[in-house]
Amino acid sequence: MILITGGAGYIGAHVALELMNQGDDVLILDNLCNSYRSTLDRIATLTGRRPGFVLGDVRNRALLDTIFADYPIEAVIHCAGLKAVGESVREPLRYYDTNVGGTVTLCQAMAHAGVFTLLFSSSATVYGDCLTMPIDETCATGQPTNPYGQSKLMAENVMKSMVCSDERWSVGLLRYFNPIGAHRSGLLGEAPTSTPNNLLPYLLQVASGQRAALSVFGRDYETPDGTGVRDYIHVMDLAEGHVKALDALRHQHGVHVWNLGTGMGYSVLEVVRAFEKVSGISVPLVFEGRRAGDIARCWADPEKALSELGWSARRSLERMLADAWRWECHLHEAKAVPLVS
């Protein structure tokens, strides 16, 4: 059985879906601070069976000890954590407490239970404002531009130190770039419980009439159109990467780092224009100043994941946007605008 912390959240739910589709038993631990219990129903509809679920916080050591005592956990995928760059600038202590403290508590509970296989949901933000593109796993870390990235790097360092002290551990650090999209069925996707902090969920809410306009933070970056450039990856490609990485960890010890990205960068305006083409909807924009903690450019060199895991991203930007819009329309029970194939 695989324990997924934060498994009712956006990424964790898609990972759970992919694992269950290949026959694994999954137990989800989630405090539902940014997710919904109904996600379990959606997973059950798509897989034909329901994942196990425990309501609780990854920082609760007593609860973790009970979980490891009651369930035959063989590996953990650690997705639980706070993830908004802007929010982390405003509330840094909350981010360190959750993202770093939760990781420490989880690792303590795992070691106590004798479970030593751990896959960690990290982030490309650990590279900071890297001067060279694309970013590969040998690029220096240590200067993330915001507390979110700093908390992810701290958690990585906790796990690296832990592995150095105990050779029984098999740890994978998955450095995500920018996950977007949804399951093609339209039944599973991202549903923020508060004001979205990331581009696509906010754009979708504007397109569906929930918000008046999309705020674009910064139009004076040193990029072709002045807006920030990111590597956007389909969440189902990301989920498939988790399955490949977990399979690899079952056969090797130590710490292993893999970028999960497409290797292509798109600006904010390129994403908006591509979405308008896919959906047929015009998205009103409001240009604002740069947002604290943001960087100009960031995209991956995914070659290591290809060579070591046999994984690569397969879905196009247009597919990401079409799937995300289908989910948004389904979520709000609105009549979907016909998608351009």
Side-chain angles (χ1 to χ4, degrees):
M1 176 174 278
I2 311 301
L3 173 64
I4 306 179
T5 69
Y10 176 44
I11 295 170
H14 288 83
V15 172
L17 174 70
E18 192 66 18
L19 285 169
M20 292 175 68
N21 277 337
Q22 74 162 19
D24 285 306
D25 293 322
V26 168
L27 176 67
I28 288 172
L29 170 66
D30 203 299
N31 65 6
L32 302 180
C33 75
N34 192 33
S35 56
Y36 300 88
R37 192 182 292 267
S38 60
T39 298
L40 306 175
D41 300 325
R42 297 178 184 279
I43 294 172
T45 297
L46 290 168
T47 65
R49 57 196 181 104
R50 191 178 182 86
F53 178 70
V54 175
L55 176 64
D57 196 293
V58 74
R59 294 168 293 180
N60 186 336
R61 174 62 191 275
L63 176 61
L64 290 175
D65 287 342
T66 299
I67 289 171
F68 284 110
D70 291 349
Y71 295 91
I73 306 298
E74 60 178 282
V76 177
I77 299 178
H78 182 28
C79 295
L82 302 174
K83 63 176 186 176
V85 168
E87 183 181 65
S88 77
V89 174
R90 298 189 301 271
E91 302 181 62
L93 295 182
R94 182 169 167 243
Y95 271 69
Y96 295 128
D97 179 40
T98 301
N99 294 358
V100 183
T103 299
V104 171
T105 302
L106 174 64
C107 291
Q108 289 172 333
M110 289 180 64
H112 180 73
V115 178
F116 294 100
T117 302
L118 175 60
L119 193 58
F120 177 56
S121 169
S122 192
S123 166
T125 57
V126 302
Y127 293 114
D129 195 359
C130 194
L131 297 178
T132 59
M133 294 292 149
I135 299 172
D136 66 26
E137 292 83 353
T138 66
C139 290
T141 60
Q143 296 297 326
T145 59
N146 54 75
Y148 165 69
Q150 291 162 9
S151 71
K152 286 294 188 180
L153 183 58
M154 286 171 139
E156 282 195 8
N157 288 335
V158 165
M159 286 177 275
K160 288 178 179 178
S161 299
M162 174 184 74
V163 172
C164 286
S165 70
D166 189 339
E167 63 182 13
R168 290 176 293 177
W169 284 95
S170 298
V171 173
L173 307 177
L174 297 183
R175 292 174 178 166
Y176 308 162
F177 281 68
N178 291 73
I180 61 173
H183 190 267
R184 191 162 193 173
S185 65
L187 296 178
L188 191 65
E190 185 172 15
T193 59
S194 58
T195 302
N197 290 278
N198 297 327
L199 171 62
L200 193 62
Y202 204 108
L203 185 158
L204 293 174
Q205 291 186 5
V206 173
S208 60
Q210 300 172 71
R211 299 186 185 278
L214 174 68
S215 295
V216 178
F217 296 99
R219 61 183 310 181
D220 59 349
Y221 287 110
E222 293 184 8
T223 61
D225 61 22
T227 63
V229 172
R230 298 290 184 272
D231 186 335
Y232 295 95
I233 177 174
H234 198 294
V235 68
M236 287 308 302
D237 280 328
L238 193 72
E240 291 166 5
H242 284 72
V243 173
K244 293 280 192 179
L246 185 60
D247 287 344
L249 290 181
R250 288 177 168 132
H251 305 290
Q252 53 190 320
H253 294 293
V255 177
H256 306 274
V257 180
W258 295 291
N259 285 342
L260 295 185
T262 66
M264 295 179 287
Y266 295 96
S267 74
V268 173
L269 293 183
E270 286 177 318
V271 172
V272 171
R273 302 312 172 211
F275 175 79
E276 290 177 331
K277 183 177 180 180
V278 164
S279 67
I281 293 175
S282 179
V283 178
L285 304 178
V286 175
F287 289 92
E288 301 188 23
R290 296 186 185 187
R291 186 171 53 183
D294 280 348
I295 60 176
R297 305 177 304 146
C298 183
W299 66 87
D301 179 346
E303 178 59 33
K304 187 168 185 274
L306 176 61
S307 62
E308 295 185 1
L309 304 178
W311 172 90
S312 63
R314 300 182 291 112
R315 297 163 177 88
S316 68
L317 178 64
E318 290 73 21
R319 170 75 181 277
M320 301 178 211
L321 298 171
D323 288 346
W325 181 233
R326 185 179 296 106
W327 155 252
E328 183 73 15
C329 293
H330 177 90
L331 182 65
H332 296 284
E333 297 180 349
K335 289 185 178 180
V337 175
L339 297 171
V340 177
S341 59

